[in-house]
């Protein structure tokens, strides 16, 4: 026994969060217990509120508090460009750059024969529908540079063939601040093949 | 912007937990968003419940769900021995060992001139009261082996002088599994001075 049953239950649930193990979950709960008023109560309330209101956007799969997410309802964002991402985390990462002003499409994963994830599980048919119905000019595939990510990108490119839409993907090369000595051979090779005139 | 305002607020609150920074808090919230039913809702509920019911034991300062904690109400635990700890975390750590079957007294910190923490902030007067009223035979000072911890231990020993109670403290020495080569000189010196015949 370490604490009362209720507190043990809370620690167990907290330990399921990524980045927290049983020990750090216990430490987090102790801090919460010490700051019951200023931190624990507001956190519980914020979490309950989001758990209740958050839902997947029926158009793009982003998470918002209504049936349609803030990005899909934002008139100022171009409708002719769709950036396809694997996950909401990737959408947030793209948004932080501020580089893209169009709409998104969140797949919710990558194709994976091992985990038997097919196109239907990934909102790919919905993407094909959107490209057809929304007058999309360009689909940008912002998928992870992993085997599964690239397989999915190829599949989507194939699925959109004949729709007349332009398909592009993120450039591959040396990351900003990257040192060649620490980069893998694949990245250096890709950067060399995609070299640009200065 | 990364997500809707409510979700941003939740991430900000989560980032105040120890062991989570802004990035890992965002990652944790994304996992919560994906597992709204199985994880987020129960976690929010457990947290709200504990925030509402948890309180400091009026006798020992441990955290329980009533005015008096489970340890203080447990008749099977010896009343003649009080183990003085700095924090509820330390009480839990002691309980996990199963080595101690008496009652506790949680100070809630250590004396610290820098942070102007005096004896009154630390439930030390309450400890003196308990020793007088509860017929205590032994007070075990299980305080951290830090300067502040040891200063506090000395102060408590002084405060209890003349009460006739036996005062002891945790043994200092080589930790189980510890390698001399990796231990600091102070620990090795203390272990040498406290050497035992085998």
């Amino acid at each position: 026994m370490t604490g009362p049953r209720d507190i043990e239950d809370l620690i167990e649930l907290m330990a399921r969060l990524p980045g927290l193990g049983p020990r750090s979950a216990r430490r987090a709960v102790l801090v919460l217990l010490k700051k019951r008023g200023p931190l624990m109560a507001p956190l519980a309330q914020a979490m309950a509120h989001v758990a209740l209101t958050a839902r997947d956007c029926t158009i793009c799969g982003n998470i918002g508090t209504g049936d349609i997410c803030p990005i899909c309802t934002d008139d100022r964002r171009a409708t002719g460009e769709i950036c396809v991402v694997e996950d909401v985390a990737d959408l947030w990462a793209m948004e932080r750059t501020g580089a893209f002003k169009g709409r998104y499409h969140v797949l919710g994963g990558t194709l994976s024969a091992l985990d038997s994830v097919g196109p239907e599980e990934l909102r790919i048919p919905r993407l094909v529908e959107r490209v057809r119905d929304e007058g999309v000019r360009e689909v940008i595939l912002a998928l992870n540079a992993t085997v599964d990510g690239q397989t999915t990108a190829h599949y989507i490119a194939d699925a959109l063939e004949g729709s007349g839409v332009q398909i592009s993907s993120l450039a591959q090369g040396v990351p900003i601040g990257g040192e060649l000595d620490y980069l893998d051979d694949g990245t250096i090779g890709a950067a060399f093949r995609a070299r640009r005139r200065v």
Side-chain angles (χ1 to χ4, degrees), chain A:
Chain A
M1 198 218 69
T2 55
R5 193 64 246 153
D6 302 342
I7 296 178
E8 284 299 295
D9 290 345
L10 178 58
I11 294 173
E12 244 166 62
L13 286 166
M14 288 289 285
R16 288 204 229 154
L17 294 178
L20 288 179
R23 263 168 182 275
S24 45
R26 192 182 305 131
R27 203 154 59 91
V29 168
L30 274 163
V31 167
L32 285 173
L33 283 170
K34 274 188 212 161
K35 301 183 181 171
R36 290 198 283 278
L39 182 54
M40 195 180 206
L43 179 56
Q45 205 186 354
M47 204 177 281
H49 176 71
V50 171
L52 205 71
T53 56
R55 60 195 63 173
D56 297 342
C57 173
T58 52
I59 297 176
C60 74
N62 183 18
I63 288 176
T65 49
D67 281 338
I68 296 174
C69 77
I71 293 175
C72 284
T73 49
D74 188 345
D75 288 338
R76 289 163 304 177
R77 300 192 69 120
T79 50
E81 296 167 10
I82 291 183
C83 179
V84 178
V85 290
E86 196 178 311
D87 226 327
V88 176
D90 300 334
L91 186 157
W92 290 2
M94 278 295 296
E95 280 296 280
R96 281 198 297 279
T97 69
F100 179 66
K101 297 291 177 203
R103 310 290 174 105
Y104 287 92
H105 194 80
V106 180
L107 296 176
T110 47
L111 292 175
S112 166
L114 271 179
D115 302 325
S116 61
V117 179
E120 282 70 29
E121 278 81 44
L122 289 186
R123 295 203 191 86
I124 291 178
R126 184 82 183 87
L127 174 65
V128 175
E129 249 178 67
R130 287 184 69 188
V131 167
R132 195 184 56 213
D133 300 345
E134 293 180 18
V136 174
R137 292 182 309 277
E138 183 177 0
V139 169
I140 300 121
L141 301 173
L143 298 172
N144 291 334
T146 56
V147 172
D148 279 348
Q150 294 308 301
T151 309
T152 311
H154 279 294
Y155 181 90
I156 293 175
D158 281 350
L160 293 177
E161 217 179 64
S163 65
V165 72
Q166 185 187 319
I167 299 168
S168 55
S169 70
L170 296 185
Q172 294 193 322
V174 181
I176 305 295
E179 296 180 45
L180 292 195
D181 194 20
Y182 290 93
L183 277 176
D184 61 299
D185 303 348
T187 302
I188 298 177
F192 180 79
R193 286 190 295 276
R195 66 193 178 278
R196 301 185 307 171
R197 295 185 66 149
V198 290

